[in-house]
Amino acid sequence: MQGYIMSILQSTKKAIEQVTGVARPGRQEATDLSRRRKANEFWFKDDGLVPNHPSWPLVVYRGAVRLPEEFDPAAVLEELFEANGWGDSWRNGIYDYVHYHSRIHEVLGVAAGTAKVRFGGKKGRTLSLKAGDVAVLPAGTGHQRLSASDDFLVVGAYPPFGTYDECTTAQEHDGALATIRKVGRPRKDPVYGSKGPLLQNWKKT
C-alpha cells in the first residue's frame, strides 16, 4: 500500500514538473550532472528460479549523478536517462520480493535515501545503494529490496525496445531462458550515452 501511495504522489509530482518546468532540469543540464565513474560488474549464475543473464553482468555506477538541491532528484535521473534513449520512466521503490524481467533491460537510479538490494536471486549479492547510484540490469537479473530508509526513491527506465514483464515463479524460468537471449544490446549507456562503459561491459554476442 505504501508503495502504491508513493507511486501516485510521485506520478502527480512528475506531471506537474513536466507542465511547469519547476525543479526540472533540461536535457543538457541533466547530462552535465553525470560524473564519470567506474563500471562495477557483478555476474550471477542461474539458480533455478532466477535465470540471470548468461552473457552480461549487472553494472553499478557509484555516485554517478550529482543531485543538486535546485532540482528534483527524480527529475534529474529521468531527464538523464531520456537523453540517452532510456524512457518509460517511473518513480517508486523496489519490490520486496524476488523478481526479474525476461523481455527487457532496466536501469534503476537512486533519487533519494538508501537501501539494501539483493541482485541475482537468493544466491546473488546484496548491495547497499544510496542517492546518486545507478544500477543497469540486463534482462533476467533478479532483484529484491531487503531494507530501505523511509525516503528511499528510485527512478526506473527502459531502452526503446523490449516488452515489460515481471517474472516471479519457477514455472516461468524455462520460457524466460529463451526470451532473455533475444533482448538486444542497447545502443546507449543510460548514464553516459554512446561512449559509455556499458557498451564494453555488454559485448555483442
Side-chain angles (χ1 to χ4, degrees):
M1 185 67 178
Q2 184 178 2
Y4 175 76
I5 293 172
M6 177 193 288
S7 179
I8 295 297
L9 291 174
Q10 287 294 331
S11 294
T12 302
K13 188 176 181 182
K14 178 179 178 178
I16 293 171
E17 290 170 356
Q18 288 175 327
V19 170
T20 65
V22 174
R24 192 169 192 91
R27 292 280 165 85
Q28 188 58 54
E29 287 177 305
T31 299
D32 291 343
L33 290 172
S34 67
R35 298 187 287 197
R36 204 69 179 183
R37 290 292 187 261
K38 173 186 175 183
N40 297 284
E41 296 183 2
F42 301 91
W43 299 83
F44 306 114
K45 294 181 179 179
D46 185 333
D47 68 3
L49 172 65
V50 177
N52 293 301
H53 199 284
S55 304
W56 298 335
L58 164 73
V59 171
V60 176
Y61 299 121
R62 297 288 191 182
V65 186
R66 290 191 297 112
L67 302 171
E69 291 184 2
E70 63 263 34
F71 297 126
D72 180 342
V76 171
L77 292 166
E78 288 164 352
E79 290 295 332
L80 176 61
F81 296 157
E82 187 68 39
N84 292 312
W86 291 61
D88 293 329
S89 63
W90 50 265
R91 302 180 182 186
N92 207 335
I94 296 175
Y95 295 140
D96 62 359
Y97 53 85
V98 180
H99 63 289
Y100 63 92
H101 313 297
S102 73
R103 299 175 181 270
I104 201 164
H105 309 308
E106 183 175 50
V107 60
L108 302 174
V110 182
T114 61
K116 291 187 182 297
V117 180
R118 184 163 58 195
F119 294 97
K122 291 185 177 180
K123 296 181 180 179
R125 179 85 174 264
T126 298
L127 300 179
S128 295
L129 300 179
K130 63 182 180 180
D133 291 346
V134 176
V136 193
L137 290 65
T141 303
H143 44 300
Q144 173 188 17
R145 172 180 52 80
L146 301 181
S147 64
S149 61
D150 291 340
D151 60 342
F152 182 60
L153 177 64
V154 166
V155 170
Y158 308 92
F161 56 83
T163 302
Y164 181 87
D165 66 343
E166 184 183 309
C167 302
T168 60
T169 68
Q171 289 71 32
E172 296 166 294
H173 176 274
D174 290 351
L177 288 177
T179 56
I180 288 168
R181 293 178 180 275
K182 294 179 181 178
V183 184
R185 189 179 73 153
R187 293 184 178 180
K188 292 185 178 182
D189 184 307
V191 179
Y192 305 111
S194 59
K195 296 183 179 179
L198 186 73
L199 305 184
Q200 284 72 53
N201 296 102
W202 293 6
K203 297 186 183 299
K204 290 184 178 180
T205 55

